[in-house]
Each structure stands twice: as structure tokens, then as C-alpha cells.
Amino acid sequence: MKKVIICVLLIVGCWHFNRAQSTGDQDARNKIMAIMKAQEQAWSNQDLEGFMKGYWENDSLKFYGSQGITYGYGNILENYRKRYPSKAHTGILRFRINDLSKIEDGSYFVLGEYHLTREVGDANGVFMIIFKNINGEWKIIADMSC
């Protein structure tokens, strides 16, 4: 009888642990998706500073694109300002998320597509970004877009 009780307790404990993990994972995914939705809106309003709120404000932030690697929040923001100086250049941004996967506790990667509809010509491409939970906030620590 003791073995049956122990088995039942182990099963219930495992079920509860998996459910708690799943709830935490879904909460993280929801927060990450909310950040990306806010980025779409900010970009589409030509609010580059608002768009950058999703990024880690740190010199260790990395962006890898067609011009190579750019390091640091300020440098990345300045590049966006130069490349997208007007509403005609920023246009309307839409993300298509193809995968959002956990790397380990506190970090996820997102694979997707970006679609810019704009006056100066549409632009489309793919990205991989890495989110990390830093001091209770989800932030992009690395971005590869092309």
C-alpha cells in the first residue's frame, strides 16, 4: 500500500511540476509576443525609441545584419535613425512569427519574418532574435536580421 501511495504522490507531483513549468513558459511567450506587438506599433508610428524599448539597453547588445555586427544599444538606435529617417522609410511593420522556442530558463529565441510596407518600396526579410529575462523584464539581447 505504501508503494501505491508513493507512486500516486510522485505522479501528482510530476504533473503539478510540469503544469507549473508550462504555465511559466506560456507567460514568458505571452510577454515576448506583447513586446513584439508593441514594436510593430512603435515602428509603424515612426517611434524608433519606442521600438527599441524591446531591446536591452546595454553595450553588449548585438545586431547582425547586412552591414556586419553592430554592438551596443546606442549604436543600433543610431543606425536605425540613419537608415529610416522618415515615415516613408519606416512604413508599416508586420512580424510573422514562425517559431518561439525556449533555450533554457530565462531565455528564448524567436524565428520570423518582417514585412515593411512603405512609400519608398517594400522591404521583407527574416530574423532570429534572442530574448533574455533581465531583472524581471524580457529584453532582446541579440538580433540577426536580413
Side-chain angles (χ1 to χ4, degrees), residues 12-142:
V12 169
C14 288
W15 174 80
H16 180 71
F17 177 76
N18 286 337
R19 186 165 181 237
Q21 269 192 320
S22 177
T23 301
D25 289 347
Q26 191 58 49
D27 183 53
R29 291 171 194 274
N30 290 342
K31 288 178 180 176
I32 289 168
M33 292 301 295
I35 291 166
M36 296 194 73
K37 181 53 86 177
Q39 285 187 305
E40 281 180 330
Q41 292 170 349
W43 184 276
S44 298
N45 290 324
Q46 200 193 359
D47 177 8
L48 298 178
E49 290 79 8
F51 176 79
M52 289 292 293
K53 286 182 181 178
Y55 287 85
W56 183 32
E57 195 168 339
N58 190 284
D59 289 341
S60 295
L61 173 65
K62 295 172 185 71
F63 180 91
Y64 185 52
S66 61
Q67 305 298 313
I69 299 176
T70 302
Y71 296 92
Y73 181 92
N75 293 328
I76 293 167
L77 177 56
E78 189 57 33
N79 284 349
Y80 277 135
R81 287 180 179 145
K82 287 177 187 172
R83 291 191 65 202
Y84 304 94
S86 69
K87 178 66 176 160
H89 291 87
T90 55
I92 304 297
L93 173 64
R94 295 290 173 250
F95 290 130
R96 178 171 180 214
I97 307 306
N98 296 318
D99 187 43
L100 196 166
S101 293
K102 185 176 187 176
I103 299 170
E104 62 184 16
D105 284 343
S107 59
Y108 285 76
F109 69 83
V110 181
L111 301 175
E113 304 166 24
Y114 66 86
H115 301 278
L116 282 176
T117 306
R118 53 195 193 153
E119 292 175 29
V120 298
D122 294 351
N124 303 295
V126 296
F127 64 84
M128 180 179 141
I129 55 179
I130 299 175
F131 275 89
K132 184 172 177 82
N133 192 309
I134 300 171
N135 299 323
E137 292 186 276
W138 288 99
K139 294 292 182 179
I140 298 167
I141 64 165

